[in-house]
Amino acid sequence: MLNQELAKIFFEMSLLLEMKEVAFKPRAYENAAHTLEALEEDVKDIYKREGLKGLDAIPAVGKGIARDIEDFIRTGRIKEYERLKKKIPVDVAGLSSIEGVGPKLIKTLYNTLKIRKVSDLERAAHKGKLRDLPRMGEKLEAKILKGIEFLKTSHGRMLLGEARPIALMILGRLKKVKSVEDAKLAGSVRRWQETIGDLDFLVIAENPKEVIRTFTSMPEVAHIYSTGKTKTMVRLRAGIDADLRILPKESFGAAIQYFTGSKDHNVALRKSAIKKGFKLNEYGLYRGKKLVAGIDEKDIYKKLGLDWMSPEMRTNTGEIEAAQKHKLPNLIEYGALKGDLQTQTNWTDGANSIEEMAMEAKKMGHEYILITDHTKSLAMTGGADEKKLLRQMKEIDRLNKKMSGIMILKGAEVNIMKDGSLDISDSVLSQLDIVGASIHSHFTMPEKEQTARLIRAIENPHVDIIFHPTGRSLMKREPIRLDFDGVFRVAKKTRTILEINAHPRRLDLNGELVRKAKEYGVKFAISTDAHAVSELHYLDYGIAQARRGWATKNDIINAWPLTTLKTFLKKER
DNA sequence: GCCGTTTTCGGCCCGACTGTTTTCAGTCG
């Protein structure tokens, strides 16, 4: 899909233009990048069908950018982009991914210190060269070093939300190869891990050569590391490695088990196998030299006296013990949710109208959708004040009369201020169906203050859900510091729901915290934080986190009937 | 460069915060 590649280029162009201090164009390119990121149909298909006119019809894409896209489809290059790159030969995408580094600073860094990439910047910071630049000091120098450190720890990894679609596309392609009997995805993608280091494909095939040829000649392949009879490793253009293994049928289940991991889970599993007099490896479960199980993954667990467990749970944090006692939880199922509880519209920073979001939700089979636009202290999003919220409520009433098959609920993503107060008056909050509240600033407060701040918001009688409770941004920003025991205790007491945010950049709460919160009896909402109709489909990423946290249907409020949910939330306290 | 229920030209989300300064530039979302 070209959309993602183009989005990256346009985003880079917006940064380059901003460095050149060109007015307004940066925003135009940035908007186009966002639209393409969320666009469901491949621009190539649109172009094939409707030409330049079709491209022009894409929101945020006009004549100029349509021509850029055409350029890219035809030649794989964009002239304007290459012209900019030539003038400013700097890795702006890499540098700007460091928290606290933006286009202006990148420009100064290049002009004064000839810094072109992250490693240059790191060296300069270590030498204490940054502090002497205009408007810089020791603190900012240290902040940049910390930002680089953080980036490094997540280096070479990719968000699940980016990696999974690529993996599924390649899997589909492998399955179509004639001699392929079966093809499966293993590794961290199968476990729905938050970030992905590489993609693992396992295949049974009569003619391995044909499969390997298909795999290595895919357009996505940038570099072939090695290619043999049973194993091939490549680097994809998207910036991630992919491994393909061809396996004999009798070992397929064992291989899937082995390559799914996690490593810790497998070590524990092998130990338990040894204890019971078996040997377990990627080719099968053996008693002496005799193959006891191998074709079917479930069979391997069964022979070891264990219930089969879902890959999301394989973290070696008690799942093997629970499987042995037949006490694994009955996990919430994919597709079990009845509605989305966090969505933004074009009333603030979303791309689509309330009606468009509701239509898509209906198409997905949802019973309801909660509209939760930002509030006024998030000014850059056009956050709603009381008046605007009241107007939006009227609009929702109008739409509910007009539409059938979906209920639009009135909500908001109310901003939690530094002191834990909210930026919308109680009298307006009380008129909303469901109120979400979340933190968008002061991420670095000490644990004690941050905890007190969040607890104050949780204790507000109007707040039903805390959205993305830790505020983390995967591979970019750390979670805020919280005393989770304290937070979970108060959330339970006040019947305040914690969100499992399904946005691939957030996944917040994560599985580990879900499991901990669940022990306190906290209930959860799984919601997408969708800013466009296409993002409403993120729900599965949240469900995966819930499953890793051992959550059942009973723990997830939007898996319940709407009436049950509403009764539960009525917390006149 | 994009966009239009005031506009095909003339606008273009803007407030809070931080670390630098001693009035503000840069970044964030």
Side-chain angles (χ1 to χ4, degrees):
Chain A
M1 188 126 154
L2 292 183
N3 298 9
Q4 303 307 322
E5 268 176 74
L6 276 164
K8 271 188 189 144
I9 292 173
F10 289 149
F11 186 64
E12 207 179 326
M13 285 173 80
S14 100
L15 287 169
L16 289 165
L17 289 164
E18 209 157 324
M19 286 168 71
K20 291 181 71 184
E21 296 185 49
V22 178
F24 305 114
K25 283 196 196 183
R27 185 52 39 84
Y29 275 98
E30 196 189 333
N31 288 339
H34 279 136
T35 308
L36 288 180
E37 239 174 13
L39 194 67
E40 279 179 90
E41 194 179 0
D42 198 329
V43 284
K44 208 170 170 181
D45 297 337
I46 298 176
Y47 181 68
K48 253 189 219 158
R49 201 179 53 234
E50 297 168 58
L52 263 182
K53 256 197 185 150
L55 297 177
D56 192 5
I58 300 169
V61 174
K63 297 228 157 34
I65 292 181
R67 226 168 281 128
D68 287 345
I69 298 175
E70 183 183 44
D71 230 15
F72 193 72
I73 292 173
R74 285 190 166 167
T75 66
R77 298 159 54 183
I78 295 174
K79 279 192 211 94
E80 175 67 8
Y81 172 62
E82 295 190 350
R83 212 173 49 77
L84 284 167
K85 244 349 219 193
K86 209 175 224 175
K87 274 197 183 151
I88 315 173
V90 172
D91 174 22
V92 282
L95 285 166
S96 70
S97 64
I98 300 165
E99 175 98 345
V101 177
K104 296 289 162 58
L105 181 57
I106 295 174
K107 187 182 177 186
T108 312
L109 291 169
Y110 178 59
N111 288 340
T112 57
L113 299 171
K114 290 273 159 276
I115 285 169
R116 288 170 180 237
K117 50 189 196 292
V118 178
S119 56
D120 298 342
L121 179 59
E122 186 177 19
R123 216 169 308 129
H126 274 303
K127 284 186 189 160
K129 281 187 177 171
L130 302 187
R131 60 186 70 178
D132 300 329
L133 296 174
R135 290 204 156 265
M136 291 286 289
E138 283 182 44
K139 276 193 177 171
L140 280 172
E141 196 174 73
K143 184 182 175 182
I144 285 169
L145 274 174
K146 219 181 138 204
I148 293 173
E149 228 16 76
F150 188 63
L151 263 187
K152 270 194 189 163
T153 56
S154 53
H155 189 71
R157 301 192 72 82
M158 191 183 258
L159 293 179
L160 176 65
E162 292 174 66
R164 195 175 160 83
I166 298 173
L168 290 176
M169 182 192 63
I170 293 176
L171 184 71
R173 199 180 284 145
L174 290 173
K175 281 185 171 167
K176 275 195 204 136
V177 178
K178 253 195 197 142
S179 66
V180 167
E181 195 186 320
D182 199 2
K184 287 230 153 68
L185 202 52
S188 45
V189 176
R190 185 174 177 229
R191 298 201 318 279
W192 294 78
Q193 196 175 290
E194 302 165 351
T195 62
I196 303 299
D198 54 16
L199 310 179
D200 293 290
F201 299 96
L202 306 180
V203 168
I204 310 175
E206 275 173 31
N207 181 357
K209 269 191 190 159
E210 188 191 8
V211 187
I212 288 167
R213 207 181 321 118
T214 306
F215 189 69
T216 52
S217 59
M218 297 187 298
E220 291 81 10
V221 172
H223 173 70
I224 301 168
Y225 291 116
S226 66
T227 172
K229 276 184 191 160
T230 61
K231 185 179 159 188
T232 292
M233 290 164 53
V234 300
R235 174 103 184 147
L236 299 181
R237 272 164 66 193
I240 194 167
D241 295 344
D243 300 352
L244 170 72
R245 286 183 176 79
I246 318 279
L247 292 147
K249 192 171 180 178
E250 61 271 21
S251 297
F252 202 53
I256 288 167
Q257 196 289 315
Y258 181 86
F259 289 111
T260 295
S262 69
K263 207 174 169 184
D264 290 346
H265 173 86
N266 283 355
V267 169
L269 201 65
R270 279 201 294 276
K271 272 188 194 158
S272 122
I274 291 167
K275 248 194 213 162
K276 295 186 173 92
F278 294 102
K279 187 184 85 171
L280 177 64
N281 61 27
E282 65 260 54
Y283 297 105
L285 182 69
Y286 297 88
R287 174 151 263 156
K289 287 205 168 157
K290 199 183 156 229
L291 182 69
V292 182
I295 292 183
D296 181 30
E297 189 190 63
K298 282 198 170 128
D299 204 26
I300 292 171
Y301 284 96
K302 198 175 159 194
K303 292 270 167 30
L304 288 170
L306 303 171
D307 290 341
W308 180 84
M309 71 209 69
S310 182
E312 300 90 311
M313 299 182 81
R314 299 182 194 174
T315 52
N316 191 33
T317 50
E319 74 277 8
I320 293 175
E321 293 77 356
Q324 199 154 16
K325 291 181 200 147
H326 309 295
K327 288 223 163 119
L328 286 170
N330 195 2
L331 300 182
I332 171 104
E333 301 280 350
Y334 292 100
L337 301 180
K338 298 183 189 298
D340 203 325
L341 292 173
Q342 193 195 164
T343 63
Q344 277 76 6
T345 72
N346 60 7
W347 281 66
T348 56
D349 61 348
N352 294 102
S353 65
I354 300 173
E355 187 170 2
E356 286 164 341
M357 295 294 272
M359 286 295 288
E360 184 71 9
K362 182 179 161 180
K363 243 195 338 199
M364 292 169 66
H366 288 177
E367 291 172 20
Y368 58 86
I369 179 171
L370 179 68
I371 303 296
T372 57
D373 275 299
H374 289 288
T375 53
K376 61 188 172 195
S377 54
L378 272 189
M380 65 273 183
T381 65
D385 57 10
E386 282 82 353
K387 256 168 97 181
K388 189 169 170 179
L389 269 178
L390 290 168
R391 260 198 298 132
Q392 191 183 51
M393 289 183 216
K394 272 198 184 148
E395 169 69 0
I396 291 176
D397 284 335
R398 188 184 73 82
L399 288 169
N400 272 330
K401 269 186 205 138
K402 184 178 133 185
M403 297 178 73
S404 65
I406 182 99
M407 164 88 87
I408 308 172
L409 299 173
K410 301 163 187 167
E413 179 178 8
V414 184
N415 199 37
I416 300 174
M417 311 304 281
K418 191 179 182 186
D419 63 358
S421 63
L422 304 180
D423 67 343
I424 294 292
S425 71
D426 286 354
S427 67
V428 171
L429 291 182
S430 67
Q431 297 176 56
L432 293 167
D433 293 311
I434 298 175
V435 175
S438 54
I439 284 175
H440 293 99
S441 62
H442 301 100
F443 293 117
T444 55
M445 277 162 69
E447 181 180 309
K448 212 172 155 189
E449 291 166 45
Q450 194 70 273
T451 305
R453 174 194 188 189
L454 188 61
I455 285 180
R456 185 171 167 205
I458 291 173
E459 284 177 334
N460 183 307
H462 297 292
V463 171
D464 297 301
I465 308 175
I466 298 294
F467 289 152
H468 47 76
T470 81
R472 73 167 176 176
S473 177
L474 279 166
M475 304 205 290
K476 182 131 190 186
R477 187 181 55 230
E478 298 274 12
I480 55 173
R481 289 189 283 274
L482 289 172
D483 164 20
F484 286 106
D485 295 285
V487 168
F488 295 157
R489 211 174 293 125
V490 181
K492 160 72 180 165
K493 199 181 93 194
T494 56
R495 284 205 285 181
T496 306
I497 309 303
L498 299 183
E499 183 188 47
I500 302 172
N501 189 299
H503 197 288
R505 171 119 347 243
R506 292 194 182 270
L507 301 179
D508 180 10
L509 300 171
N510 67 15
E512 198 182 332
L513 286 170
V514 169
R515 200 161 150 203
K516 190 176 162 89
K518 184 186 150 125
E519 281 168 22
Y520 281 88
V522 171
K523 301 291 179 199
F524 310 93
I526 301 175
S527 39
T528 60
D529 209 345
H531 284 63
V533 287
S534 60
E535 295 180 0
L536 288 167
H537 297 269
Y538 285 156
L539 273 182
D540 283 350
Y541 294 103
I543 295 176
Q545 288 301 313
R547 289 165 64 88
R548 194 178 342 281
W550 296 34
T552 67
K553 199 173 166 183
N554 184 40
D555 299 314
I556 311 293
I557 62 163
N558 48 333
W560 307 345
L562 186 57
T563 46
T564 317
L565 186 167
K566 279 197 153 176
T567 319
F568 184 85
L569 289 179
K570 273 287 155 229
K571 39 177 191 176
E572 299 297 333
R573 354 172 242 250

